[in-house]
Amino acid sequence: MADHILEVKHLKKYFNTPKGTLHAVDDVNFTLERGKTLGIVGESGCGKSTTGRSILRLIEPTSGEVIFNGEDILKKDKKAMRLLRREMQLIFQDPYASLDPRKTVSEIIGEPLKLQKLVPDPKAREKKVRELMEVVGLADRLINTYPHELDGGRRQRIGIARALAMEPKMIICDEPVSALDVSIQAQILNLMQDLQEQMGLTYIFITHDLSVVNHFANDIAVMYLGQLIEKAPSELLFDNPVHPYTQALLSAIPVPSLKKKRERVILKGEISSPINPKPGCRFAARCPYATEQCRSQEPKLVEIEKNHFVACHKVGEN
Amino acid sequence: MAEQKKDLVLDIKDLVIHYETDDGVVEAVNGIDIQLEHGKTLGLVGETGSGKTTTALSILRLVPDPPGVIKSGSIKLDGKDVLNLPVAELEAIRGNLVSMIFQDPMTSLNPVLTVGEQIAEVIALHENISEKEAQTKAGDMLEVVGIPRERYGEYPHQFSGGMKQRVVIAMALACNPKLLLADEPTTALDVTIQAQVLETMKKLREQYGSAMIMITHDLGIIAEVCDEVSVVYAGQIVEHGTLEDIFESTMHPYTEGLFGSLPNIEERKARLQPITGLMPDPTNLPKGCCFAPRCKYCTENCAKSRPDKKWVSDTHYVRCSRYEEPGFQIERRGQ
Amino acid sequence: MEAAKINGAVQEGGAVKRRGQAGEIWRRLKKNKMAMAGLAVLVLLILVSIFADVLFDYNEIVIKQDTSIRLQGPSGAHWLGTDEFGRDILARLVHGSRVSLSVGVIAVSISLVIGGALGAIAGFYGGKTDNLIMRFIDILLAVPSLLLSITIVSALGPSIFNLMLAIGVSSVPSYARIVRASVLTVKDQEYVEAARCIGANNFEIIVSHIIPNCMAPIIVQVSLKVASAILSTSGLSFLGLGIKAPTPEWGAMLSGGRAYLRNAPHLTLFPGLAIIITILALNLLGDGLRDALDPKLKK
């Protein structure tokens, strides 16, 4: 049997808003194998970031189970949760907002070590910080600089070093490169890949950029309006996308090449509101193949071939 | 060897723009040339701080002054010398002859006016027609960009991001400009919405025959909408050519680096080939080729002087001194 | 190849300017001439108040009455003249600066501690706590602050400590509001979430992230509020609710001199000038600090 580091079952997060209940994450299920990367893809407002933060309990989920290394972390008390934080970390999207502007590089990277009393001695901590800086490719002389003195790429390296400080098993990466320039993006992606190989990390890679996850992830899960609508190994998903939304999403990526042109599916309309969603498939309003059944009945996630899950009534009808 | 272009809508020669700040002189644009024919689309690709946006702003003479100073060069827009035009004439040109679409649709619309009013205002400002006619025309424009006329009286906050960008496009096209400047028009949008907006822009440009400068960092978008491409690095065009020139016979190491940084959809697990290092500090540019410190083909000569344009075909030039050596080629070409 | 490497190294070094944040703020503040003038005046005042005893003996000069030289104008012996009891005005001003400055500083500290704590708790926890605290603050805010101080002082009896307390309490609401507003913006920043993610609890987050990032507006407010506290002290003393004679205090001096306004205007002129100059200096410095601390003005 595969070694699952994480199992998410019926995860839900609803927010109460003046307009009604916002279904940010609505019954999401998936498992993640140790040492692998799962990409969670979707457009803004699909609940991908909320999913990531719910798994880490940075947002308290409404219901569901998050089983990490065999234990449901949603049942842990504060003390146990604090210890668990060593195991699972987050890399943020915005390297500007996610670093405290009043702290130096060494204070930021050393904070988890100090807080969790892993390395209480300041001298030893500084040594460890220097090691971490080397691991993520930050020059030693930057140790006493402030984040605002550095560019986005270096700031993101600081964020990665902070996440690595406690030697976590799993890291959730929330759009870690979307705020960076292309050439810097590639540097960071390569770094993350190397770290995974060296440390046996498990990643959840949240992004809107399909070409990045395709490069990076073993499995890809596509989300739409709080629900997981298709999940498959990357190759399978790219070669044979089944859900009409996945197809449209894939075809919408502008390809930097003149030879290979995909047949483009242009979707009508825009993402509808996740507040008090109507019954039926959430994609039905924009779907070119929608029928009466789609508008009334919610499709279930089914396995159509090995490891390939899709939630669509039209599966099998081409 | 360069082919002489005729019928230019935009002719920029040797443009140099500096920002003179307390912390030093930022050399934002260092000798950019752009020749754009009527109805054509030019893509300006480059990273943050490469000077793309400053170049676009200078065409409208909107470079913030101070600290921006246009040091030298000339900008001819449909034959008019933009840099020496009186302000009144300049205002007549903006929005009429040339208009701009900004990256963030949220901030380029006025939140207290309805979208219809905003479009009508642009039309009324530049065309000598009655208020009624302007309103009708504004309604037409909304329909052109795919928004029902009924939404004329709605306010920007009632629109989604993609819809707002369509409104901005409608405003930009309202006076049928000869040149459209689009500064990362789809960066703030989701992929499926980006596809819709790009499709609309392409269709409208064909319909209206405007020339366009598309500023972006996304080579995918370039491949989709542009006829010609200029690759900008540290305020200089390091390579320029037709879409085929740039994509199929890449010459400059930086352009190669940009391609190498992109995950390849076809070759999934291939390791990315990023450009090492960082953009040079624009207040302290290297004396020689600005890309030399990051370039894997760099030799001692490269650090000595800025390379000149080298035309390799009628449409294609590159600024790289390695091409002085016979037989030099970058790895991408060898593949 | 070598040349490129050197070039690259130089640039790498150049791109990272070594300058701490305090240094950066100081550099920007230094450029503001008005703020520096304010700072200079303030430093001078502080020095004068520290060395007041060296300059003028309290018992022999400041409070010793000598009616033979009452109401004299400025002269070589008494630079700013003498008051109705023949006391040297300059000496009284110098010693008065001690009272004014310490009342200003302590009153502001009282309101900063109380108001800051209330505001921080309200902002950080939000919800019902926030509502409860802020409605209480609103009630305080509805009473004019001078009226509040007068009420407190007259209820507790006039003394330096009661005066400080009264002035301190009356400006609690404005601190609570400012601190709450800046806590609200800071607490939603991603770096706070990042701290939570590494296991920090609320207390650790407040101490190591929220407070340091809320300092800028508070520092500005402090410099401006010290000025208004000095002004309130003078005001209350003027009304006879502040410092008791013969202790020299600027407001009391101003008040005492008003009976002689016609034939000895210097009795009111000089204390008035002292108050104006101090407050102007504090306000200039406060404005300068606001500009220097505002990251949006950073180039």
Side-chain angles (χ1 to χ4, degrees):
Chain A
M1 212 190 110
D3 177 13
H4 289 148
I5 187 169
L6 182 75
E7 216 171 317
V8 174
K9 288 184 187 166
H10 306 292
L11 187 71
K12 286 186 191 171
K13 177 65 199 177
Y14 295 170
F15 292 100
N16 288 320
T17 71
K19 286 184 193 160
T21 311
L22 190 151
H23 295 226
V25 179
D26 211 351
D27 202 5
V28 163
N29 299 279
F30 62 84
T31 54
L32 179 54
E33 223 175 290
R34 194 178 299 278
K36 293 283 163 72
T37 301
L38 170 72
I40 300 183
V41 188
E43 297 180 278
S44 45
C46 73
K48 54 190 194 300
S49 285
T50 313
T51 305
R53 281 166 168 74
S54 298
I55 293 170
L56 292 173
R57 278 182 83 184
L58 290 172
I59 296 175
E60 218 46 61
T62 309
S63 66
E65 287 172 53
V66 176
I67 298 163
F68 180 73
N69 275 334
E71 289 177 274
D72 186 353
I73 69 158
L74 300 186
K75 297 207 172 77
K76 299 275 178 192
D77 62 7
K78 267 189 181 171
K79 231 171 154 184
M81 203 54 222
R82 182 160 166 145
L83 285 178
L84 251 175
R85 298 245 176 257
R86 297 179 185 174
E87 310 279 311
M88 42 211 300
Q89 279 300 312
L90 181 62
I91 296 174
F92 291 84
Q93 166 175 10
D94 186 345
Y96 294 84
S98 60
L99 304 177
D100 188 336
R102 312 244 166 223
K103 301 246 182 298
T104 63
V105 172
S106 93
E107 283 169 327
I108 293 170
I109 301 177
E111 195 185 4
L113 300 170
K114 187 176 166 191
L115 210 67
Q116 296 261 9
K117 304 197 173 57
L118 290 169
V119 189
D121 173 51
K123 277 264 164 57
R125 195 159 61 230
E126 193 185 308
K127 190 167 164 265
K128 176 83 184 162
V129 166
R130 284 183 199 277
E131 280 168 29
L132 283 163
M133 287 176 69
E134 198 186 329
V135 167
V136 299
L138 278 169
D140 205 43
R141 66 192 161 80
L142 301 175
I143 191 158
N144 287 320
T145 53
Y146 286 90
H148 74 262
E149 300 171 88
L150 305 174
D151 64 285
R154 279 181 176 142
R155 282 159 168 257
Q156 200 56 300
R157 285 175 200 266
I158 299 172
I160 294 173
R162 172 175 60 191
L164 289 176
M166 296 189 287
E167 293 167 16
K169 305 283 177 296
M170 180 177 86
I171 299 184
I172 297 186
C173 318
D174 189 4
E175 306 257 14
V177 295
S178 58
L180 307 174
D181 269 321
V182 246
S183 70
I184 308 298
Q185 230 176 55
Q187 293 175 4
I188 298 292
L189 285 174
N190 277 353
L191 170 68
M192 290 176 61
Q193 213 163 12
D194 293 343
L195 292 172
Q196 180 169 40
E197 280 161 26
Q198 287 161 21
M199 306 184 178
L201 294 169
T202 307
Y203 285 138
I204 294 182
F205 202 103
I206 297 168
T207 180
H208 68 278
D209 188 338
L210 274 160
S211 49
V212 170
V213 269
N214 174 43
H215 170 78
F216 211 81
N218 304 90
D219 288 305
I220 296 178
V222 182
M223 284 185 73
Y224 190 80
L225 277 180
Q227 294 180 323
L228 215 158
I229 54 150
E230 185 161 5
K231 179 180 180 254
S234 317
E235 297 85 2
L236 220 54
L237 192 92
F238 265 75
D239 298 341
N240 180 25
V242 173
H243 198 285
Y245 177 66
T246 314
Q247 290 171 354
L249 202 58
L250 280 177
S251 78
I253 315 172
V255 186
S257 154
L258 302 182
K259 290 170 202 150
K260 308 266 168 58
K261 281 282 165 229
R262 279 173 191 270
E263 189 57 36
R264 175 152 291 178
V265 188
I266 298 273
L267 284 177
K268 286 175 295 181
E270 309 208 358
I271 213 158
S272 53
S273 160
I275 295 174
N276 298 336
K278 291 191 201 104
C281 174
R282 303 236 166 125
F283 185 60
R286 295 173 78 186
C287 181
Y289 314 106
T291 62
E292 212 34 61
Q293 190 196 11
C294 300
R295 282 183 218 48
S296 56
Q297 205 182 342
E298 198 168 295
K300 287 205 161 46
L301 201 65
V302 289
E303 189 164 12
I304 55 159
E305 55 187 310
K306 197 176 174 334
N307 292 329
H308 192 164
F309 300 86
V310 183
C312 177
H313 290 305
K314 311 297 283 179
V315 166
E317 295 176 33
N318 199 15
Chain B
M1 208 167 35
E3 152 205 53
Q4 276 304 308
K5 287 186 182 173
K6 281 171 233 142
D7 197 21
L8 293 179
V9 64
L10 179 68
D11 188 4
I12 298 182
K13 283 207 176 96
D14 201 26
L15 186 67
V16 178
I17 303 173
H18 290 175
Y19 290 105
E20 292 174 354
T21 71
D22 297 337
D23 293 329
V25 176
V26 176
E27 298 175 42
V29 175
N30 304 307
I32 276 187
D33 302 298
I34 292 174
Q35 274 81 41
L36 185 62
E37 287 173 63
H38 279 281
K40 286 278 165 78
T41 299
L42 168 73
L44 282 185
V45 217
E47 295 177 90
T48 318
S50 60
K52 320 172 287 229
T53 301
T54 304
T55 308
L57 288 175
S58 71
I59 298 169
L60 291 158
R61 227 165 88 191
L62 284 176
V63 178
D65 173 22
V69 186
I70 298 177
K71 291 297 228 191
S72 64
S74 70
I75 300 174
K76 284 218 171 72
L77 188 64
D78 206 27
K80 294 189 180 69
D81 184 356
V82 175
L83 296 182
N84 295 315
L85 227 48
V87 175
E89 263 183 77
L90 204 63
E91 276 164 5
I93 284 180
R94 289 179 194 153
N96 200 3
L97 193 60
V98 49
S99 56
M100 187 150 179
I101 302 172
F102 292 94
Q103 175 173 346
D104 189 355
M106 323 298 159
T107 53
S108 40
L109 291 173
N110 184 341
V112 298
L113 292 179
T114 69
V115 295
E117 283 166 4
Q118 299 190 44
I119 303 174
E121 195 188 346
V122 176
I123 298 171
L125 209 63
H126 290 292
E127 285 174 30
N128 202 5
I129 54 176
S130 74
E131 208 172 305
K132 256 270 150 48
E133 285 170 304
Q135 283 172 5
T136 319
K137 200 170 168 206
D140 295 343
M141 285 313 298
L142 276 179
E143 283 192 335
V144 166
V145 294
I147 298 174
R149 191 182 280 270
E150 293 78 61
R151 303 195 67 176
Y152 183 95
E154 289 183 22
Y155 290 90
H157 71 265
Q158 293 167 292
F159 285 67
S160 65
M163 292 290 232
K164 277 188 216 161
Q165 198 59 301
R166 284 162 190 269
V167 173
V168 174
I169 293 171
M171 275 168 78
L173 288 174
C175 291
N176 199 358
K178 290 190 174 161
L179 175 64
L180 195 59
L181 305 171
D183 187 1
E184 307 258 9
T186 57
T187 310
L189 308 176
D190 275 320
V191 229
T192 56
I193 309 301
Q194 164 171 295
Q196 291 174 355
V197 170
L198 285 180
E199 198 68 20
T200 312
M201 284 179 75
K202 246 167 42 179
K203 207 177 74 202
L204 292 179
R205 250 185 16 79
E206 276 158 26
Q207 196 176 325
Y208 285 75
S210 309
M212 174 159 83
I213 292 185
M214 176 66 128
I215 297 172
T216 178
H217 62 275
D218 189 334
L219 284 164
I221 293 178
I222 295 280
E224 210 130 288
V225 296
C226 297
D227 304 307
E228 292 170 44
V229 190
S230 291
V231 182
V232 190
Y233 187 79
Q236 270 200 326
I237 294 177
V238 292
E239 183 169 6
H240 170 90
T242 62
L243 202 55
E244 286 74 22
D245 291 336
I246 301 295
F247 280 72
E248 304 292 327
S249 47
T250 313
M251 302 287 280
H252 199 280
Y254 176 64
T255 319
E256 180 189 43
L258 282 182
F259 280 111
S261 298
L262 295 174
N264 189 337
I265 288 218
E266 308 305 326
E267 258 183 278
R268 202 181 321 270
K269 292 296 171 214
R271 196 173 163 78
L272 300 177
Q273 307 285 329
I275 307 168
T276 54
L278 301 168
M279 284 269 282
D281 178 359
T283 59
N284 184 20
L285 289 179
K287 252 206 244 119
C289 170
C290 292
F291 188 61
R294 302 174 74 183
C295 181
K296 56 182 172 187
Y297 306 104
C298 163
T299 64
E300 264 174 54
N301 273 335
C302 294
K304 280 181 188 149
S305 65
R306 296 253 168 104
D308 286 328
K309 278 185 201 170
K310 182 178 171 66
W311 288 92
V312 289
S313 76
D314 283 349
T315 53
H316 192 178
Y317 72 74
V318 61
R319 279 183 200 269
C320 175
S321 19
R322 288 299 305 270
Y323 285 98
E324 305 301 326
E325 303 163 28
F328 173 74
Q329 70 174 11
I330 57 174
E331 282 161 21
R332 188 177 156 89
R333 291 297 296 282
Q335 281 164 5
Chain C
M1 208 58 196
E2 205 47 43
K5 261 190 208 148
I6 293 163
N7 205 345
V10 168
Q11 258 175 50
E12 290 262 295
V16 186
K17 287 186 191 108
R18 288 231 169 200
R19 208 185 278 146
Q21 267 187 324
E24 178 72 21
I25 291 163
W26 174 240
R27 189 183 69 95
R28 272 182 280 156
L29 188 65
K30 263 201 304 197
K31 270 193 225 153
N32 187 336
K33 296 217 168 59
M34 299 303 274
M36 289 315 283
L39 184 65
V41 171
L42 217 57
V43 169
L44 190 73
L45 261 172
I46 291 169
L47 286 176
V48 161
S49 68
I50 290 172
F51 295 108
D53 281 326
V54 180
L55 296 170
F56 301 100
D57 185 81
Y58 190 73
N59 288 317
E60 283 305 307
I61 304 174
V62 178
I63 57 167
K64 196 177 174 195
Q65 305 187 358
D66 181 355
T67 40
S68 64
I69 50 166
R70 65 193 294 261
L71 297 177
Q72 283 186 357
S75 65
H78 303 282
W79 290 1
L80 300 183
T82 56
D83 67 5
E84 69 271 33
F85 299 112
R87 296 172 298 197
D88 185 85
I89 290 184
L90 179 63
R92 287 184 68 77
L93 279 181
V94 165
H95 279 263
S97 70
R98 278 188 166 181
V99 179
S100 294
L101 288 182
S102 57
V103 171
V105 170
I106 293 171
V108 164
S109 312
I110 291 173
S111 50
L112 179 62
V113 171
I114 303 176
L118 286 176
I121 293 169
F124 190 77
Y125 290 97
K128 278 195 189 129
T129 324
D130 183 23
N131 242 323
L132 201 71
I133 294 177
M134 291 322 284
R135 292 307 76 79
F136 170 68
I137 295 294
D138 283 347
I139 294 170
L140 276 185
L141 212 56
V143 185
S145 62
L146 191 64
L147 205 62
L148 193 64
S149 324
I150 292 174
T151 317
I152 296 173
V153 180
S154 29
L156 300 176
S159 78
I160 290 201
F161 178 75
N162 289 345
L163 187 70
M164 291 172 182
L165 192 71
I167 296 170
V169 169
S170 69
S171 57
V172 160
S174 57
Y175 278 99
R177 291 197 152 261
I178 288 169
V179 172
R180 176 176 172 268
S182 41
V183 167
L184 278 180
T185 46
V186 172
K187 86 164 179 178
D188 286 334
Q189 294 289 321
E190 265 190 352
Y191 56 79
V192 172
E193 199 179 16
R196 191 157 277 141
C197 190
I198 55 174
N201 58 33
N202 285 342
F203 179 73
E204 287 159 341
I205 288 174
I206 292 179
V207 169
S208 78
H209 295 284
I210 306 241
I211 291 178
N213 281 289
C214 290
M215 287 318 282
I218 296 171
I219 290 174
V220 173
Q221 186 67 10
V222 164
S223 69
L224 298 176
K225 275 285 173 181
V226 169
S228 75
I230 291 176
L231 208 58
S232 303
T233 318
S234 302
L236 288 173
S237 300
F238 185 82
L239 294 173
L241 290 167
I243 313 294
K244 284 284 150 202
T247 314
E249 200 281 334
W250 295 350
M253 289 168 73
L254 198 68
S255 162
R258 81 196 141 155
Y260 311 93
L261 204 56
R262 199 164 294 175
N263 38 20
H266 65 275
L267 257 62
T268 43
L269 178 67
F270 293 119
L273 272 179
I275 294 172
I276 290 172
I277 290 171
T278 311
I279 293 182
L280 189 66
L282 280 161
N283 283 337
L284 288 175
L285 180 66
D287 279 349
L289 276 174
R290 174 174 27 226
D291 294 346
L293 287 167
D294 189 351
K296 271 175 259 161
L297 294 172
K298 217 175 249 178
K299 274 175 195 145

